Amino acid sequence: MSAMRLFGLGALAVLLGLDCLARLLRWRRGGPRALLKEVLFFPVDVTCVEHLFRPGEALPNSCPCPLPHGQETSFTRLLRHLLSANTSLDLCIFAFSNQSLSRAVLLLQARGVVVRVITDKNYMAISGSQISALRRAGVNVRHEMGAVYMHHKFAVLDGRLLISGSLNWTTTAIQCNKENMLVTEEPDLVQPFIREFQRLWDSNDPARHCPHG
Amino acid sequence: MSAMRLFGLGALAVLLGLDCLARLLRWRRGGPRALLKEVLFFPVDVTCVEHLFRPGEALPNSCPCPLPHGQETSFTRLLRHLLSANTSLDLCIFAFSNQSLSRAVLLLQARGVVVRVITDKNYMAISGSQISALRRAGVNVRHEMGAVYMHHKFAVLDGRLLISGSLNWTTTAIQCNKENMLVTEEPDLVQPFIREFQRLWDSNDPARHCPHG
């Protein structure tokens, strides 16, 4: 009887040890599922991105456009991340003129994703800006009223994924400049941006800046 | 005897379990020492930063300047991080005109920290740029020769700490703009910036752009 108990306890100890070891190794790798941490550098060569907007269709091979097809670049990665939003997109952007990024935001809006945009009061009016196209499509846009420049270039998707860096959402930045974008789900980095977005959103509520009566 | 063995094994199992639990909790908190992950937002109010440059002295209370003293802001945090470099500073910066940040880089250079700077070919020459002051002090500076803008704003300290965001190293950015800086030791985020810096450093070697004979 005591030999049985001893055997049982021994087996328990071994199982416990193995379980703890497995958990330890999992945590060492960054948790049950590793949090996304990715860095994108620019400029990139121009490639066809049509297949990202029509994932169910027989693209990219059948697309007739003259651009290179089927290539993964920092820009296709950025577009893929952006288009992965399911519930919300909070975008805080100094300059926004790139048409593919605008198309992606409009697609999200059409899908029912709650899109909020904060932008710069001067740069939203420059030639090629996509801000008025977003507004026409019903996207909720506010512009910064209290700073020289609203110079941020960040987006938070689904309150979970942060995209932030030096890159304005312009074609020059994407195709001609040396730029970076950091993409992460790390909560210690994402949460401060969520709070800052809400702070800027609230402080630039147009209702607060239009005294009545 | 079997009771003693049973007791011993039971105690071992409990100890093993507790040990594993403690390790688990430590890993959950991000490892033996949590990796730094910090976000700084701007603008900030101007405060005295003299004490950061003379840590051994009786500042900040005795500093006679008219600015507020002893206040921690995003800018003092940025300066503290910068001044913590022990061996190397790799700085990739579009616009650099802030005098306190320039003073910090010069102080690091004087301490023997290996400083390398990559900057933009047009912005390095604008009024107030600190690039020529850095060059005069012997800092190794290269400017980007292959892009419309060298628009990065990042620094890597001691091959370990990344500082990156929307903020150019200008007084307007620090005191007047809405800006962000992300500070992290997360290797998955730091390493790509180290590789990109070296790539840009090598590709902008002036020796490669001066054909001989």
Side-chain angles (χ1 to χ4, degrees), chain A residues 6-87:
Chain A
L6 236 157
F7 179 76
L9 268 172
L12 188 71
V14 168
L15 282 174
L16 246 171
L18 284 175
D19 180 50
C20 286
L21 196 71
R23 279 166 193 259
L24 252 172
L25 287 173
R26 265 212 304 281
W27 281 113
R28 234 180 150 150
R29 282 194 213 107
R33 185 177 71 81
L35 293 170
L36 182 68
K37 301 181 202 89
E38 187 178 349
V39 184
L40 305 173
F41 291 105
F42 298 82
V44 295
D45 290 334
V46 195
T47 64
C48 176
V49 294
E50 196 58 34
H51 57 295
L52 301 177
F53 293 98
R54 297 190 275 169
E57 299 179 33
L59 296 155
N61 296 331
S62 62
C63 175
C65 89
L67 295 172
H69 289 83
Q71 291 181 15
E72 192 81 335
T73 69
S74 288
F75 185 58
T76 61
R77 294 290 305 153
L78 173 58
L79 267 178
R80 274 182 207 281
H81 285 304
L82 184 58
L83 289 166
S84 77
N86 284 314
T87 57

Coordinates of all heavy atoms in Angstrom, one line a residue, chain A residues 6-87:
Chain A
L6 N 3.7 5.7 -2.6 CA 5.0 6.3 -3.0 C 5.1 6.5 -4.5 O 5.4 7.5 -5.0 CB 6.1 5.3 -2.6 CG 7.2 6.0 -1.7 CD1 7.9 4.9 -0.9 CD2 8.1 6.8 -2.5
F7 N 4.6 5.4 -5.2 CA 4.6 5.5 -6.7 C 3.7 6.6 -7.2 O 4.1 7.4 -8.1 CB 4.2 4.1 -7.3 CG 4.1 4.1 -8.7 CD1 5.3 4.0 -9.5 CD2 2.9 4.2 -9.4 CE1 5.2 4.0 -10.9 CE2 2.9 4.2 -10.8 CZ 4.0 4.1 -11.5
G8 N 2.6 6.6 -6.6 CA 1.6 7.7 -7.0 C 2.2 9.1 -6.8 O 2.1 9.9 -7.7
L9 N 2.7 9.3 -5.6 CA 3.3 10.6 -5.3 C 4.5 11.0 -6.2 O 4.6 12.1 -6.7 CB 3.8 10.7 -3.8 CG 2.7 11.2 -2.9 CD1 3.2 11.0 -1.4 CD2 2.4 12.6 -3.1
G10 N 5.3 10.0 -6.5 CA 6.4 10.2 -7.4 C 5.9 10.6 -8.8 O 6.4 11.5 -9.3
A11 N 4.9 9.8 -9.3 CA 4.4 10.1 -10.6 C 3.8 11.6 -10.6 O 4.0 12.3 -11.6 CB 3.3 9.1 -10.9
L12 N 3.1 11.9 -9.5 CA 2.5 13.3 -9.4 C 3.6 14.3 -9.5 O 3.5 15.3 -10.2 CB 1.8 13.4 -8.1 CG 0.9 14.6 -7.9 CD1 -0.3 14.6 -8.8 CD2 0.5 14.8 -6.5
A13 N 4.7 14.1 -8.7 CA 5.8 15.1 -8.7 C 6.4 15.2 -10.1 O 6.7 16.3 -10.6 CB 6.9 14.6 -7.7
V14 N 6.6 14.1 -10.8 CA 7.2 14.1 -12.2 C 6.2 14.9 -13.1 O 6.6 15.8 -13.9 CB 7.4 12.7 -12.7 CG1 7.7 12.8 -14.2 CG2 8.6 12.1 -12.0
L15 N 4.9 14.6 -13.0 CA 3.9 15.3 -13.9 C 3.9 16.8 -13.6 O 3.9 17.6 -14.6 CB 2.5 14.7 -13.7 CG 2.3 13.3 -14.3 CD1 1.0 12.8 -13.9 CD2 2.3 13.5 -15.9
L16 N 3.9 17.1 -12.3 CA 3.9 18.5 -11.9 C 5.1 19.2 -12.5 O 5.0 20.3 -13.1 CB 4.0 18.6 -10.4 CG 2.8 19.2 -9.7 CD1 3.0 19.0 -8.2 CD2 2.6 20.6 -10.0
G17 N 6.3 18.6 -12.4 CA 7.5 19.2 -12.9 C 7.4 19.4 -14.4 O 7.8 20.5 -14.9
L18 N 7.0 18.4 -15.1 CA 6.9 18.5 -16.6 C 5.9 19.6 -17.0 O 6.2 20.3 -17.9 CB 6.4 17.1 -17.2 CG 7.5 16.0 -17.2 CD1 6.9 14.7 -17.7 CD2 8.7 16.4 -18.1
D19 N 4.8 19.6 -16.3 CA 3.8 20.7 -16.6 C 4.4 22.1 -16.4 O 4.2 22.9 -17.3 CB 2.6 20.5 -15.7 CG 1.5 21.5 -16.0 OD1 1.1 21.7 -17.2 OD2 1.0 22.1 -15.0
C20 N 5.0 22.2 -15.3 CA 5.6 23.5 -15.0 C 6.7 23.9 -16.0 O 6.8 25.0 -16.5 CB 6.3 23.6 -13.6 SG 5.0 23.7 -12.3
L21 N 7.5 22.9 -16.4 CA 8.5 23.1 -17.4 C 7.9 23.6 -18.8 O 8.4 24.5 -19.4 CB 9.3 21.8 -17.6 CG 10.7 21.9 -18.3 CD1 11.7 22.6 -17.4 CD2 11.2 20.6 -18.8
A22 N 6.8 22.9 -19.1 CA 6.2 23.2 -20.4 C 5.6 24.7 -20.3 O 5.8 25.5 -21.3 CB 5.0 22.3 -20.7
R23 N 5.0 25.0 -19.2 CA 4.5 26.4 -19.0 C 5.6 27.4 -19.1 O 5.5 28.5 -19.7 CB 3.8 26.5 -17.7 CG 2.4 26.0 -17.7 CD 1.9 25.9 -16.2 NE 0.7 25.1 -16.1 CZ -0.5 25.6 -16.0 NH1 -0.7 26.9 -16.0 NH2 -1.6 24.8 -16.0
L24 N 6.7 27.1 -18.4 CA 7.9 28.0 -18.4 C 8.4 28.3 -19.8 O 8.6 29.4 -20.2 CB 9.0 27.3 -17.6 CG 9.3 27.9 -16.3 CD1 10.3 27.0 -15.5 CD2 9.8 29.3 -16.4
L25 N 8.5 27.2 -20.6 CA 9.0 27.3 -22.0 C 8.0 28.2 -22.8 O 8.5 29.0 -23.6 CB 9.2 26.0 -22.6 CG 10.4 25.2 -22.1 CD1 10.4 23.8 -22.7 CD2 11.7 25.9 -22.5
R26 N 6.7 28.0 -22.6 CA 5.7 28.8 -23.3 C 5.9 30.3 -23.0 O 5.9 31.1 -23.8 CB 4.3 28.3 -23.0 CG 3.8 27.3 -24.0 CD 2.3 27.4 -24.1 NE 1.6 27.3 -22.8 CZ 1.3 26.1 -22.2 NH1 1.8 25.0 -22.8 NH2 0.7 26.0 -21.1
W27 N 6.0 30.6 -21.6 CA 6.1 32.0 -21.2 C 7.4 32.6 -21.8 O 7.5 33.7 -22.1 CB 6.1 32.1 -19.7 CG 4.7 32.0 -19.2 CD1 4.1 31.0 -18.5 CD2 3.6 32.9 -19.4 NE1 2.8 31.2 -18.2 CE2 2.5 32.4 -18.8 CE3 3.5 34.1 -20.1 CZ2 1.2 33.1 -18.8 CZ3 2.3 34.8 -20.1 CH2 1.2 34.3 -19.5
R28 N 8.5 31.8 -21.8 CA 9.7 32.3 -22.3 C 9.6 32.7 -23.7 O 10.2 33.7 -24.2 CB 10.7 31.1 -22.2 CG 12.0 31.6 -21.4 CD 13.0 30.5 -21.4 NE 14.3 31.1 -21.3 CZ 15.3 30.5 -20.7 NH1 15.2 29.4 -20.1 NH2 16.4 31.1 -20.7
R29 N 8.8 32.0 -24.5 CA 8.6 32.4 -25.9 C 7.6 33.5 -26.0 O 7.2 33.9 -27.1 CB 8.0 31.2 -26.7 CG 9.1 30.2 -27.0 CD 8.6 29.2 -28.0 NE 9.2 27.9 -27.8 CZ 8.6 26.8 -27.3 NH1 7.3 26.9 -27.0 NH2 9.2 25.7 -27.2
G30 N 7.1 34.1 -24.9 CA 6.3 35.3 -25.0 C 4.8 35.1 -24.8 O 4.0 35.8 -25.2
G31 N 4.5 34.0 -24.0 CA 3.1 33.8 -23.7 C 2.5 32.7 -24.5 O 3.1 32.2 -25.4
P32 N 1.2 32.4 -24.2 CA 0.5 31.4 -24.9 C 0.5 31.6 -26.4 O 0.8 30.6 -27.2 CB -0.9 31.5 -24.4 CG -0.8 32.2 -23.1 CD 0.4 33.1 -23.2
R33 N 0.3 32.8 -26.9 CA 0.6 33.1 -28.3 C 1.5 34.4 -28.3 O 1.2 35.3 -27.6 CB -0.7 33.5 -29.0 CG -0.6 33.8 -30.5 CD -2.0 34.1 -31.1 NE -2.4 35.4 -30.8 CZ -2.0 36.5 -31.3 NH1 -1.1 36.5 -32.3 NH2 -2.5 37.7 -30.9
A34 N 2.6 34.3 -29.0 CA 3.6 35.4 -29.0 C 2.9 36.6 -29.5 O 2.2 36.6 -30.5 CB 4.8 35.0 -29.8
L35 N 3.1 37.8 -28.8 CA 2.6 39.0 -29.2 C 3.3 39.5 -30.4 O 4.5 39.4 -30.5 CB 2.7 40.1 -28.1 CG 1.9 39.8 -26.8 CD1 2.3 40.8 -25.7 CD2 0.4 40.0 -27.1
L36 N 2.6 40.0 -31.4 CA 3.2 40.5 -32.6 C 4.1 41.7 -32.4 O 3.8 42.6 -31.7 CB 2.0 41.0 -33.6 CG 2.5 41.5 -35.0 CD1 3.1 40.3 -35.8 CD2 1.3 42.1 -35.7
K37 N 5.3 41.6 -32.9 CA 6.3 42.7 -32.9 C 7.0 42.7 -34.2 O 7.8 41.8 -34.5 CB 7.3 42.5 -31.7 CG 6.8 42.3 -30.4 CD 7.9 42.2 -29.3 CE 7.4 41.5 -28.1 NZ 7.4 40.0 -28.1
E38 N 6.8 43.7 -35.0 CA 7.3 43.7 -36.4 C 7.7 45.1 -36.7 O 7.1 46.1 -36.3 CB 6.1 43.3 -37.3 CG 6.5 43.1 -38.7 CD 5.3 42.6 -39.6 OE1 4.3 42.2 -39.1 OE2 5.5 42.6 -40.8
V39 N 8.8 45.2 -37.5 CA 9.3 46.5 -37.9 C 9.3 46.5 -39.5 O 9.8 45.6 -40.1 CB 10.7 46.8 -37.4 CG1 11.1 48.2 -37.8 CG2 10.7 46.7 -35.9
L40 N 8.7 47.6 -40.0 CA 8.7 47.7 -41.5 C 9.6 48.9 -41.9 O 9.4 50.0 -41.3 CB 7.3 48.0 -42.0 CG 6.2 46.9 -41.5 CD1 4.8 47.4 -41.9 CD2 6.5 45.5 -42.1
F41 N 10.4 48.7 -42.9 CA 11.2 49.9 -43.4 C 10.8 50.2 -44.8 O 10.3 49.4 -45.6 CB 12.7 49.5 -43.4 CG 13.2 49.4 -41.9 CD1 13.5 48.2 -41.4 CD2 13.4 50.6 -41.2 CE1 13.9 48.1 -40.0 CE2 13.8 50.5 -39.9 CZ 14.1 49.3 -39.3
F42 N 10.9 51.5 -45.1 CA 10.6 52.0 -46.4 C 11.8 52.8 -46.9 O 12.6 53.2 -46.1 CB 9.3 52.9 -46.3 CG 8.1 52.2 -45.9 CD1 7.9 52.0 -44.5 CD2 7.2 51.8 -46.8 CE1 6.8 51.3 -44.1 CE2 6.0 51.1 -46.4 CZ 5.8 50.8 -45.0
P43 N 11.9 53.1 -48.3 CA 10.9 53.0 -49.3 C 10.8 51.6 -49.8 O 11.6 50.7 -49.6 CB 11.4 53.9 -50.4 CG 12.9 53.8 -50.3 CD 13.2 53.7 -48.8
V44 N 9.7 51.4 -50.6 CA 9.5 50.1 -51.2 C 9.3 50.3 -52.7 O 8.9 51.4 -53.1 CB 8.2 49.3 -50.7 CG1 8.4 49.0 -49.2 CG2 7.0 50.2 -50.9
D45 N 9.6 49.3 -53.5 CA 9.2 49.3 -54.9 C 7.7 49.2 -55.0 O 7.0 48.5 -54.2 CB 9.9 48.1 -55.7 CG 11.4 48.3 -55.7 OD1 11.8 49.5 -55.7 OD2 12.1 47.3 -55.8
V46 N 7.2 49.9 -56.1 CA 5.7 49.8 -56.3 C 5.3 48.4 -56.8 O 5.9 47.9 -57.7 CB 5.3 50.9 -57.3 CG1 3.8 51.1 -57.2 CG2 6.0 52.2 -57.1
T47 N 4.3 47.8 -56.2 CA 3.8 46.6 -56.6 C 2.3 46.6 -56.7 O 1.7 47.5 -56.0 CB 4.2 45.4 -55.7 OG1 3.6 45.6 -54.4 CG2 5.7 45.3 -55.5
C48 N 1.7 45.7 -57.3 CA 0.2 45.6 -57.4 C -0.3 45.2 -56.0 O 0.2 44.2 -55.4 CB -0.2 44.6 -58.5 SG -2.0 44.4 -58.5
V49 N -1.3 45.9 -55.5 CA -1.9 45.5 -54.2 C -3.4 45.1 -54.4 O -4.1 45.0 -53.3 CB -1.8 46.6 -53.2 CG1 -0.3 46.9 -52.8 CG2 -2.4 47.9 -53.7
E50 N -3.8 45.0 -55.6 CA -5.3 44.8 -55.9 C -5.8 43.5 -55.1 O -6.9 43.5 -54.6 CB -5.4 44.6 -57.4 CG -6.9 44.7 -57.9 CD -7.5 46.1 -57.6 OE1 -6.8 47.1 -57.5 OE2 -8.7 46.0 -57.3
H51 N -5.0 42.5 -55.1 CA -5.4 41.2 -54.4 C -5.7 41.4 -53.0 O -6.5 40.6 -52.4 CB -4.4 40.1 -54.6 CG -3.0 40.5 -54.1 ND1 -2.2 41.5 -54.6 CD2 -2.3 39.9 -53.1 CE1 -1.1 41.6 -53.9 NE2 -1.1 40.6 -53.0
L52 N -5.1 42.4 -52.3 CA -5.4 42.6 -50.9 C -6.8 43.1 -50.6 O -7.4 42.9 -49.6 CB -4.4 43.6 -50.3 CG -2.9 43.1 -50.4 CD1 -2.0 44.2 -49.8 CD2 -2.7 41.8 -49.7
F53 N -7.3 43.8 -51.7 CA -8.7 44.4 -51.5 C -9.8 43.4 -52.0 O -10.9 43.6 -51.7 CB -8.8 45.7 -52.4 CG -8.0 46.8 -51.8 CD1 -6.7 47.1 -52.3 CD2 -8.4 47.5 -50.7 CE1 -5.9 48.1 -51.8 CE2 -7.7 48.5 -50.2 CZ -6.4 48.8 -50.7
R54 N -9.3 42.3 -52.7 CA -10.3 41.4 -53.2 C -9.8 39.9 -53.0 O -9.5 39.2 -53.9 CB -10.5 41.6 -54.7 CG -11.1 42.9 -55.0 CD -11.6 43.1 -56.4 NE -10.5 43.5 -57.3 CZ -10.6 43.5 -58.7 NH1 -11.7 43.0 -59.3 NH2 -9.6 43.9 -59.4
P55 N -9.7 39.6 -51.7 CA -9.0 38.3 -51.3 C -9.7 37.1 -51.8 O -9.0 36.1 -52.0 CB -9.0 38.4 -49.8 CG -10.1 39.3 -49.4 CD -10.2 40.3 -50.5
G56 N -11.0 37.2 -52.1 CA -11.7 36.0 -52.6 C -11.5 35.7 -54.1 O -11.8 34.6 -54.5
E57 N -11.0 36.6 -54.8 CA -11.0 36.5 -56.3 C -9.6 35.9 -56.7 O -8.7 35.7 -55.9 CB -11.2 37.8 -56.9 CG -12.6 38.4 -56.6 CD -12.8 39.8 -57.2 OE1 -12.4 40.0 -58.3 OE2 -13.6 40.5 -56.5
A58 N -9.6 35.6 -58.0 CA -8.4 34.8 -58.6 C -7.2 35.7 -58.8 O -6.3 35.3 -59.5 CB -8.9 34.2 -59.9
L59 N -7.1 36.9 -58.1 CA -5.9 37.7 -58.2 C -4.8 37.1 -57.3 O -5.2 36.2 -56.5 CB -6.3 39.1 -57.7 CG -7.3 39.9 -58.6 CD1 -8.0 40.9 -57.7 CD2 -6.6 40.5 -59.7
P60 N -3.6 37.4 -57.4 CA -3.0 38.5 -58.2 C -2.7 38.1 -59.6 O -2.4 38.9 -60.4 CB -1.7 38.8 -57.4 CG -1.3 37.6 -56.8 CD -2.6 36.8 -56.4
N61 N -2.6 36.8 -59.9 CA -2.0 36.4 -61.2 C -2.9 36.9 -62.4 O -2.3 37.2 -63.5 CB -1.9 34.9 -61.3 CG -0.9 34.4 -60.3 OD1 0.0 35.1 -59.9 ND2 -1.1 33.2 -59.8
S62 N -4.2 37.1 -62.2 CA -5.0 37.5 -63.3 C -5.2 39.0 -63.4 O -5.8 39.5 -64.4 CB -6.4 36.8 -63.1 OG -7.0 37.3 -62.0
C63 N -4.6 39.8 -62.5 CA -4.7 41.2 -62.6 C -3.9 41.7 -63.8 O -2.8 41.4 -64.0 CB -4.2 41.9 -61.3 SG -4.2 43.7 -61.4
P64 N -4.6 42.6 -64.7 CA -4.0 43.0 -65.9 C -3.1 44.2 -65.7 O -2.5 44.7 -66.7 CB -5.2 43.4 -66.8 CG -6.2 43.8 -65.8 CD -6.0 43.0 -64.5
C65 N -2.9 44.8 -64.5 CA -2.1 46.0 -64.4 C -0.7 45.7 -64.6 O -0.2 44.6 -64.5 CB -2.4 46.7 -63.0 SG -1.3 46.1 -61.7
P66 N 0.1 46.8 -65.0 CA 1.5 46.6 -65.4 C 2.5 46.4 -64.3 O 3.7 46.2 -64.5 CB 1.8 47.8 -66.2 CG 0.9 48.9 -65.7 CD -0.3 48.2 -65.2
L67 N 2.0 46.6 -63.0 CA 2.9 46.5 -61.9 C 3.3 45.1 -61.6 O 2.6 44.1 -61.9 CB 2.2 47.1 -60.6 CG 1.9 48.6 -60.7 CD1 1.1 49.0 -59.5 CD2 3.2 49.4 -60.8
P68 N 4.4 44.9 -60.9 CA 4.8 43.5 -60.5 C 3.8 42.9 -59.5 O 3.2 43.7 -58.7 CB 6.1 43.7 -59.7 CG 6.6 45.1 -60.1 CD 5.4 45.9 -60.5
H69 N 3.5 41.6 -59.7 CA 2.4 41.0 -58.9 C 3.0 40.0 -57.9 O 4.1 39.4 -58.1 CB 1.5 40.3 -59.8 CG 0.6 41.3 -60.6 ND1 1.1 41.9 -61.8 CD2 -0.6 41.8 -60.4 CE1 0.1 42.7 -62.2 NE2 -0.9 42.6 -61.4
G70 N 2.2 39.8 -56.8 CA 2.5 38.7 -55.9 C 3.7 38.9 -55.0 O 4.2 38.0 -54.4
Q71 N 4.2 40.1 -54.9 CA 5.4 40.4 -54.1 C 5.0 41.0 -52.7 O 4.1 41.8 -52.7 CB 6.3 41.4 -54.8 CG 7.0 40.8 -56.0 CD 7.9 41.8 -56.7 OE1 8.3 42.8 -56.1 NE2 8.3 41.5 -57.9
E72 N 5.6 40.5 -51.7 CA 5.3 41.0 -50.3 C 6.4 42.1 -50.1 O 7.6 41.9 -50.2 CB 5.5 39.9 -49.3 CG 4.9 40.2 -47.9 CD 3.4 40.1 -47.8 OE1 2.7 40.2 -48.8 OE2 2.9 39.9 -46.7
T73 N 5.9 43.3 -49.7 CA 6.8 44.4 -49.3 C 6.3 45.0 -48.0 O 5.3 44.6 -47.5 CB 6.7 45.5 -50.4 OG1 5.4 46.2 -50.3 CG2 6.9 45.0 -51.8
S74 N 7.0 45.9 -47.5 CA 6.6 46.6 -46.2 C 5.2 47.2 -46.4 O 4.4 47.3 -45.5 CB 7.6 47.7 -45.8 OG 8.8 47.1 -45.4
F75 N 5.0 47.7 -47.7 CA 3.7 48.3 -47.9 C 2.5 47.3 -47.9 O 1.5 47.6 -47.4 CB 3.7 49.1 -49.2 CG 2.5 49.9 -49.4 CD1 2.0 50.9 -48.5 CD2 1.7 49.7 -50.6 CE1 0.9 51.6 -48.7 CE2 0.5 50.4 -50.8 CZ 0.1 51.4 -49.8
T76 N 2.7 46.2 -48.6 CA 1.7 45.1 -48.5 C 1.5 44.7 -47.1 O 0.3 44.4 -46.7 CB 2.0 43.9 -49.5 OG1 3.2 43.3 -49.0 CG2 2.1 44.4 -50.9
R77 N 2.5 44.6 -46.3 CA 2.4 44.2 -44.9 C 1.5 45.2 -44.1 O 0.7 44.9 -43.4 CB 3.8 44.1 -44.2 CG 4.7 43.0 -44.7 CD 4.3 41.6 -44.3 NE 4.1 41.4 -42.9 CZ 3.3 40.5 -42.4 NH1 2.6 39.7 -43.2 NH2 3.1 40.4 -41.1
L78 N 1.8 46.5 -44.4 CA 1.1 47.6 -43.7 C -0.4 47.5 -44.1 O -1.3 47.6 -43.3 CB 1.7 48.9 -44.2 CG 1.0 50.2 -43.7 CD1 0.8 50.3 -42.2 CD2 1.7 51.4 -44.2
L79 N -0.6 47.3 -45.4 CA -2.0 47.2 -45.9 C -2.7 46.0 -45.3 O -3.9 46.1 -44.9 CB -2.1 47.1 -47.4 CG -2.2 48.4 -48.2 CD1 -2.2 48.1 -49.7 CD2 -3.5 49.1 -47.9
R80 N -2.0 44.9 -45.2 CA -2.6 43.7 -44.6 C -3.0 43.9 -43.2 O -4.1 43.5 -42.7 CB -1.6 42.5 -44.7 CG -1.6 41.7 -45.9 CD -0.6 40.6 -45.8 NE -0.1 40.2 -47.1 CZ -0.7 39.4 -48.0 NH1 -1.9 39.0 -47.7 NH2 -0.2 39.1 -49.2
H81 N -2.1 44.5 -42.4 CA -2.4 44.8 -41.0 C -3.6 45.7 -40.9 O -4.6 45.5 -40.1 CB -1.2 45.5 -40.3 CG -0.1 44.6 -40.0 ND1 -0.3 43.4 -39.2 CD2 1.2 44.6 -40.3 CE1 0.9 42.8 -39.1 NE2 1.8 43.4 -39.8
L82 N -3.6 46.8 -41.7 CA -4.7 47.7 -41.7 C -6.1 47.1 -42.0 O -7.1 47.2 -41.3 CB -4.5 48.9 -42.7 CG -5.4 50.0 -42.8 CD1 -5.6 50.7 -41.4 CD2 -5.0 51.0 -43.8
L83 N -6.1 46.2 -43.1 CA -7.3 45.6 -43.5 C -7.7 44.5 -42.5 O -8.8 43.9 -42.7 CB -7.1 45.0 -44.9 CG -7.1 46.1 -46.0 CD1 -6.6 45.5 -47.3 CD2 -8.5 46.7 -46.2
S84 N -6.9 44.1 -41.5 CA -7.3 43.1 -40.6 C -8.2 43.6 -39.5 O -8.7 42.9 -38.6 CB -6.0 42.5 -39.9 OG -5.5 43.4 -39.0
A85 N -8.4 45.0 -39.4 CA -9.3 45.5 -38.4 C -10.7 45.0 -38.5 O -11.3 44.9 -39.6 CB -9.3 47.1 -38.5
N86 N -11.2 44.6 -37.3 CA -12.6 44.0 -37.3 C -13.6 44.9 -36.7 O -14.7 44.9 -37.1 CB -12.6 42.7 -36.5 CG -11.9 41.6 -37.2 OD1 -12.3 41.4 -38.4 ND2 -11.0 40.8 -36.6
T87 N -13.2 45.7 -35.7 CA -14.2 46.5 -35.0 C -13.9 48.0 -35.0 O -14.8 48.8 -35.0 CB -14.3 46.0 -33.5 OG1 -13.0 46.1 -32.9 CG2 -14.8 44.6 -33.4

